[in-house]
């Protein structure tokens, strides 16, 4: 029987879209990155280049994953691979809910987890040949029966999940708090995932293993099999690199850059009158240091603590001018790392020595059970000698 010309045209358009669209996206991305790097300072390259390289890897992975097709004997058609994709999607959904705060605010790890989810969905669609959403005219009787069974199993499961969340919302105060967290931004994306992709996930589990390939399988299937392996390797790389970056935040040595200015004249300090007979107050000139530093942990996934402060001294005691207050300890930043302040204190000892201590904890968003404590300390004595910085 000759193949339907309309089916060939649809397959051709789908193949063109799967392969050409990601290539165009990669070209546009490269143009934007190269244009943006011209405007980036050298100090920001360490933070910009890893992120740009990772996003480029995501686009390349998208292009490879979207271009593979399930063929007889291909590795992507194996039941174990399909079920592994379902498990990975479920783990991603759990991560979306766990890492997102309550309400509509997005968690810092949410965009990365959504990238993972899109790649996994593309791979799942190729592994199941998108039978769960295919029209009746494009599938045979066996595939239609599988599709109908997948839908019959998927939507009761979906209704059960929604019912459990609604029940938790009215059952008790702790369960209501849990439900409010689930119904945040992460839960919204998981709801859409289950609504549209759950039949495909069920289909990947219930579809029987394909029959062994015949001895006369053409060589093209072997090439497709290799492409599928490359696609899985790229997906694993996309998943593994942020996790490796998260470990690097707590494992790699800190990078510190600092600068203390030369002594410079500061303001004048009005003290007590020079003598009881003279009402004119004594004027004490101050000399100051400016302190600028940046402490960084990790690469790609990173956290940074910027310090910009000034302290002055008069030979009797050192005083803070700016940059050593509680508000100044809230300036930490980074990517996919939570920064929690443990200590922010400024003290002046009896001998006039000024001590400023800023202590924080770094916790990677993707691996919150890991943590690292970092302390930035400035110590300057009454004569302007810097004993410790940073």
């Amino acid at each position: 029987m000759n193949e339907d010309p309309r089916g060939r045209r649809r397959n051709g358009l789908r193949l063109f879209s799967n392969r050409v669209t990601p290539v165009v996206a990669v070209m546009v991305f490269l143009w934007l990155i190269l244009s943006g790097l011209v405007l980036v300072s050298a100090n920001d390259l360490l933070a910009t280049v890893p992120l740009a390289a990772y996003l480029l890897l995501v686009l390349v992975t998208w292009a490879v994953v979207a271009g593979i097709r399930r063929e007889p004997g291909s590795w992507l058609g194996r039941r174990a691979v399909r079920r592994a994709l379902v498990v990975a999607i479920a783990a991603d959904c759990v991560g979306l809910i766990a890492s997102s705060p309550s309400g509509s605010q997005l968690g810092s790890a949410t965009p990365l987890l959504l990238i993972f989810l899109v790649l996994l969905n593309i791979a799942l669609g190729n592994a199941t040949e998108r039978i769960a959403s295919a029209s009746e005219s494009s599938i045979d009787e066996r595939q239609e029966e599988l599709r109908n069974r997948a839908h019959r199993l998927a939507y009761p499961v979906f209704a059960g999940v929604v019912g459990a969340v609604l029940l938790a919302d009215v059952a008790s105060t702790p369960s209501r708090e849990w439900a409010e967290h689930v119904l945040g931004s992460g839960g919204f994306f998981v709801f859409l995932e289950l609504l549209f992709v759950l039949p495909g996930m069920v289909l990947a589990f219930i579809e029987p293993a394909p029959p062994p390939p015949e001895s006369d399988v053409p060589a093209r299937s072997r090439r497709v099999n290799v492409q599928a392996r490359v696609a899985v390797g790229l997906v694993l790389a996309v998943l593994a690199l942020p996790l490796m970056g998260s470990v690097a935040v707590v494992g790699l040595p800190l990078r510190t850059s600092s600068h203390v200015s030369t002594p410079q004249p500061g303001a004048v300090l009005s003290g007590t009158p020079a003598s009881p007979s003279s009402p004119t107050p004594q004027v004490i000139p101050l000399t100051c240091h400016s302190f600028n530093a940046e402490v960084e942990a990790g690469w790609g996934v990173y956290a940074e603590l910027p310090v910009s402060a000034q302290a002055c001294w008069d030979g009797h005691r050192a005083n803070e001018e700016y940059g050593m207050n509680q508000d100044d300890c809230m300036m930490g930043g980074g990517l996919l790392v939570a920064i929690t302040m443990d200590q922010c204190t400024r003290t002046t000892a009896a001998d006039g020595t000024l001590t400023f201590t800023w202590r924080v904890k770094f916790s990677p968003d993707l691996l919150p059970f890991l943590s690292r404590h970092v302390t930035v300390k400035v110590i300057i004595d009454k004569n302007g000698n810097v004993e410790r910085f940073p």
Side-chain angles (χ1 to χ4, degrees):
M1 181 182 294
N2 294 330
E3 187 179 357
D4 183 6
R6 290 178 298 178
R8 289 199 304 268
R9 186 161 52 250
R10 283 197 302 270
N11 291 335
L13 289 175
R14 183 171 61 224
L15 181 61
F16 178 83
S17 176
N18 285 345
R19 292 188 175 179
V20 174
T21 302
V23 173
V24 173
V26 170
M27 294 175 62
V28 172
F29 173 80
L30 286 175
W31 178 78
L32 292 174
I33 290 299
L34 292 176
S35 301
L37 288 178
V38 177
L39 304 176
V40 174
S41 63
N43 294 333
D44 295 331
L45 282 178
L46 284 177
T48 304
V49 171
L51 179 60
Y54 180 76
L55 293 178
L56 179 60
L57 175 64
V58 169
L59 289 175
V60 171
T61 303
W62 171 29
V64 174
V65 170
I68 62 175
R69 291 183 297 168
R70 176 176 163 180
E71 298 283 348
S74 84
W75 190 74
L76 191 62
R78 297 179 183 178
R79 172 182 279 188
V81 174
R82 297 197 305 266
R83 291 185 171 182
L85 287 172
V86 173
V87 172
I89 291 174
D92 193 288
C93 290
V94 172
L96 275 172
I97 294 177
S99 62
S100 297
S102 301
S104 59
Q105 184 179 0
L106 294 178
S108 59
T110 300
L112 184 63
L113 292 173
L114 289 177
I115 290 175
F116 295 166
L117 195 60
V118 170
L119 292 175
L120 292 171
N121 285 339
I122 294 174
L124 181 70
N126 290 338
T128 60
E129 300 179 300
R130 297 181 177 84
I131 296 175
S133 58
S135 61
E136 295 183 2
S137 60
S138 60
I139 56 177
D140 56 29
E141 293 181 359
R142 182 192 67 84
Q143 292 171 332
E144 183 179 4
E145 182 180 354
L146 276 174
R147 183 196 63 182
N148 294 340
R149 184 184 174 195
H151 280 267
R152 288 195 300 268
L153 293 174
Y155 287 111
V157 173
F158 177 76
V161 171
V162 174
V165 174
L166 295 178
L167 180 62
D169 192 41
V170 298
S172 63
T173 300
S175 66
R176 186 178 303 112
E177 294 176 354
W178 174 83
E180 290 177 354
H181 181 77
V182 170
L183 295 174
S185 59
F188 172 75
F189 292 115
V190 172
F191 174 83
L192 294 180
E193 176 73 9
L194 296 179
L195 180 64
F196 294 109
V197 185
L198 186 58
M201 297 169 64
V202 174
L203 179 65
F205 250 89
I206 67 175
E207 185 177 4
E214 300 178 0
S215 58
D216 58 346
V217 174
R220 180 183 179 186
S221 294
R222 297 189 181 94
R223 291 198 300 270
V224 172
N225 196 20
V226 171
Q227 186 180 7
R229 290 177 183 271
V230 171
V232 172
L234 288 173
V235 171
L236 291 177
V238 169
L239 295 173
L241 285 176
L243 298 178
M244 295 171 59
S246 299
V247 174
V249 170
V250 299
L252 290 181
L254 296 174
R255 300 189 304 275
T256 302
S257 60
S258 61
H259 173 71
V260 179
S261 69
T262 57
Q264 50 191 325
V268 293
L269 178 66
S270 298
T272 57
S275 64
S277 61
S278 174
T280 304
Q282 183 182 12
V283 177
I284 304 174
L286 299 180
T287 308
C288 303
H289 273 317
S290 293
F291 300 87
N292 292 283
E294 190 168 77
V295 180
E296 291 185 291
W299 196 70
V301 177
Y302 70 97
E304 60 182 6
L305 300 178
V307 178
S308 179
Q310 186 179 75
C312 302
W313 66 93
D314 59 4
H316 300 285
R317 59 185 292 155
N319 298 283
E320 174 264 351
E321 289 295 302
Y322 66 82
M324 300 182 184
N325 303 293
Q326 284 283 339
D327 293 341
D328 301 311
C329 292
M330 305 299 293
M331 297 173 60
L335 179 65
L336 295 175
V337 179
I339 302 176
T340 306
M341 184 175 67
D342 291 337
Q343 181 182 358
C344 183
T345 56
R346 184 185 75 244
T347 59
T348 303
D351 62 356
T353 299
L354 174 68
T355 301
F356 170 66
T357 304
W358 184 11
R359 180 178 171 85
V360 301
K361 181 177 74 172
F362 295 156
S363 296
D365 290 333
L366 298 179
L367 300 174
F369 53 87
L370 299 178
S371 63
R372 180 178 196 169
H373 293 274
V374 178
T375 301
V376 176
K377 183 170 285 190
V378 182
I379 302 177
I380 180 171
D381 68 10
K382 62 182 181 181
N383 297 314
N385 298 313
V386 180
E387 299 179 2
R388 180 174 174 182
F389 177 69

